[in-house]
PDB file of all heavy atoms in Angstrom:
ATOM      1  N   GLU U 165       8.278  -3.909 -10.238  1.00 94.00           N
ATOM      2  CA  GLU U 165       9.177  -4.680  -9.381  1.00 94.00           C
ATOM      3  C   GLU U 165      10.625  -4.250  -9.578  1.00 94.00           C
ATOM      4  O   GLU U 165      11.417  -4.246  -8.627  1.00 94.00           O
ATOM      5  CB  GLU U 165       9.021  -6.178  -9.673  1.00 94.00           C
ATOM      6  CG  GLU U 165       7.637  -6.743  -9.374  1.00 94.00           C
ATOM      7  CD  GLU U 165       7.264  -6.677  -7.901  1.00 94.00           C
ATOM      8  OE1 GLU U 165       8.147  -6.423  -7.068  1.00 94.00           O
ATOM      9  OE2 GLU U 165       6.069  -6.868  -7.581  1.00 94.00           O
ATOM     10  N   SER U 166      10.982  -3.855 -10.800  1.00 94.00           N
ATOM     11  CA  SER U 166      12.353  -3.429 -11.072  1.00 94.00           C
ATOM     12  C   SER U 166      12.699  -2.163 -10.301  1.00 94.00           C
ATOM     13  O   SER U 166      13.737  -2.085  -9.626  1.00 94.00           O
ATOM     14  CB  SER U 166      12.533  -3.201 -12.576  1.00 94.00           C
ATOM     15  OG  SER U 166      13.832  -2.701 -12.845  1.00 94.00           O
ATOM     16  N   ILE U 167      11.826  -1.139 -10.385  1.00 94.00           N
ATOM     17  CA  ILE U 167      12.176   0.092  -9.666  1.00 94.00           C
ATOM     18  C   ILE U 167      11.957  -0.073  -8.163  1.00 94.00           C
ATOM     19  O   ILE U 167      12.551   0.668  -7.378  1.00 94.00           O
ATOM     20  CB  ILE U 167      11.422   1.322 -10.207  1.00 94.00           C
ATOM     21  CG1 ILE U 167       9.922   1.254  -9.895  1.00 94.00           C
ATOM     22  CG2 ILE U 167      11.687   1.535 -11.665  1.00 94.00           C
ATOM     23  CD1 ILE U 167       9.256   2.613  -9.968  1.00 94.00           C
ATOM     24  N   ALA U 168      11.126  -1.029  -7.744  1.00 93.00           N
ATOM     25  CA  ALA U 168      10.951  -1.274  -6.316  1.00 93.00           C
ATOM     26  C   ALA U 168      12.267  -1.728  -5.686  1.00 93.00           C
ATOM     27  O   ALA U 168      12.598  -1.330  -4.559  1.00 93.00           O
ATOM     28  CB  ALA U 168       9.860  -2.311  -6.085  1.00 93.00           C
ATOM     29  N   ILE U 169      13.028  -2.541  -6.420  1.00 93.00           N
ATOM     30  CA  ILE U 169      14.337  -2.980  -5.923  1.00 93.00           C
ATOM     31  C   ILE U 169      15.271  -1.790  -5.796  1.00 93.00           C
ATOM     32  O   ILE U 169      15.992  -1.627  -4.799  1.00 93.00           O
ATOM     33  CB  ILE U 169      14.922  -4.045  -6.872  1.00 93.00           C
ATOM     34  CG1 ILE U 169      14.057  -5.309  -6.827  1.00 93.00           C
ATOM     35  CG2 ILE U 169      16.366  -4.361  -6.490  1.00 93.00           C
ATOM     36  CD1 ILE U 169      14.432  -6.331  -7.880  1.00 93.00           C
ATOM     37  N   ASP U 170      15.285  -0.920  -6.811  1.00 92.00           N
ATOM     38  CA  ASP U 170      16.131   0.274  -6.761  1.00 92.00           C
ATOM     39  C   ASP U 170      15.714   1.192  -5.615  1.00 92.00           C
ATOM     40  O   ASP U 170      16.555   1.774  -4.935  1.00 92.00           O
ATOM     41  CB  ASP U 170      16.056   1.037  -8.096  1.00 92.00           C
ATOM     42  CG  ASP U 170      16.648   0.250  -9.252  1.00 92.00           C
ATOM     43  OD1 ASP U 170      17.468  -0.653  -8.985  1.00 92.00           O
ATOM     44  OD2 ASP U 170      16.277   0.525 -10.404  1.00 92.00           O
ATOM     45  N   TYR U 171      14.416   1.339  -5.428  1.00 93.00           N
ATOM     46  CA  TYR U 171      13.886   2.196  -4.357  1.00 93.00           C
ATOM     47  C   TYR U 171      14.343   1.690  -2.988  1.00 93.00           C
ATOM     48  O   TYR U 171      14.781   2.473  -2.135  1.00 93.00           O
ATOM     49  CB  TYR U 171      12.361   2.200  -4.452  1.00 93.00           C
ATOM     50  CG  TYR U 171      11.636   3.027  -3.407  1.00 93.00           C
ATOM     51  CD1 TYR U 171      11.453   4.391  -3.582  1.00 93.00           C
ATOM     52  CD2 TYR U 171      11.110   2.421  -2.261  1.00 93.00           C
ATOM     53  CE1 TYR U 171      10.774   5.148  -2.631  1.00 93.00           C
ATOM     54  CE2 TYR U 171      10.427   3.168  -1.314  1.00 93.00           C
ATOM     55  CZ  TYR U 171      10.257   4.526  -1.503  1.00 93.00           C
ATOM     56  OH  TYR U 171       9.577   5.267  -0.566  1.00 93.00           O
ATOM     57  N   ALA U 172      14.237   0.375  -2.780  1.00 92.00           N
ATOM     58  CA  ALA U 172      14.656  -0.201  -1.506  1.00 92.00           C
ATOM     59  C   ALA U 172      16.140   0.030  -1.264  1.00 92.00           C
ATOM     60  O   ALA U 172      16.567   0.312  -0.136  1.00 92.00           O
ATOM     61  CB  ALA U 172      14.341  -1.692  -1.481  1.00 92.00           C
ATOM     62  N   SER U 173      16.949  -0.049  -2.314  1.00 89.00           N
ATOM     63  CA  SER U 173      18.385   0.156  -2.182  1.00 89.00           C
ATOM     64  C   SER U 173      18.723   1.616  -1.888  1.00 89.00           C
ATOM     65  O   SER U 173      19.521   1.915  -1.004  1.00 89.00           O
ATOM     66  CB  SER U 173      19.087  -0.292  -3.471  1.00 89.00           C
ATOM     67  OG  SER U 173      20.465   0.023  -3.429  1.00 89.00           O
ATOM     68  N   PRO U 179      10.379  -1.972  -0.035  1.00 85.00           N
ATOM     69  CA  PRO U 179       9.683  -1.425  -1.203  1.00 85.00           C
ATOM     70  C   PRO U 179       8.182  -1.651  -1.094  1.00 85.00           C
ATOM     71  O   PRO U 179       7.726  -2.522  -0.341  1.00 85.00           O
ATOM     72  CB  PRO U 179      10.265  -2.241  -2.364  1.00 85.00           C
ATOM     73  CG  PRO U 179      10.612  -3.556  -1.741  1.00 85.00           C
ATOM     74  CD  PRO U 179      11.067  -3.238  -0.342  1.00 85.00           C
TER      75      PRO U 179
END
Side-chain angles (χ1 to χ4, degrees):
E165 297 296 347
S166 176
I167 69 160
I169 294 171
D170 294 338
Y171 179 84
S173 174

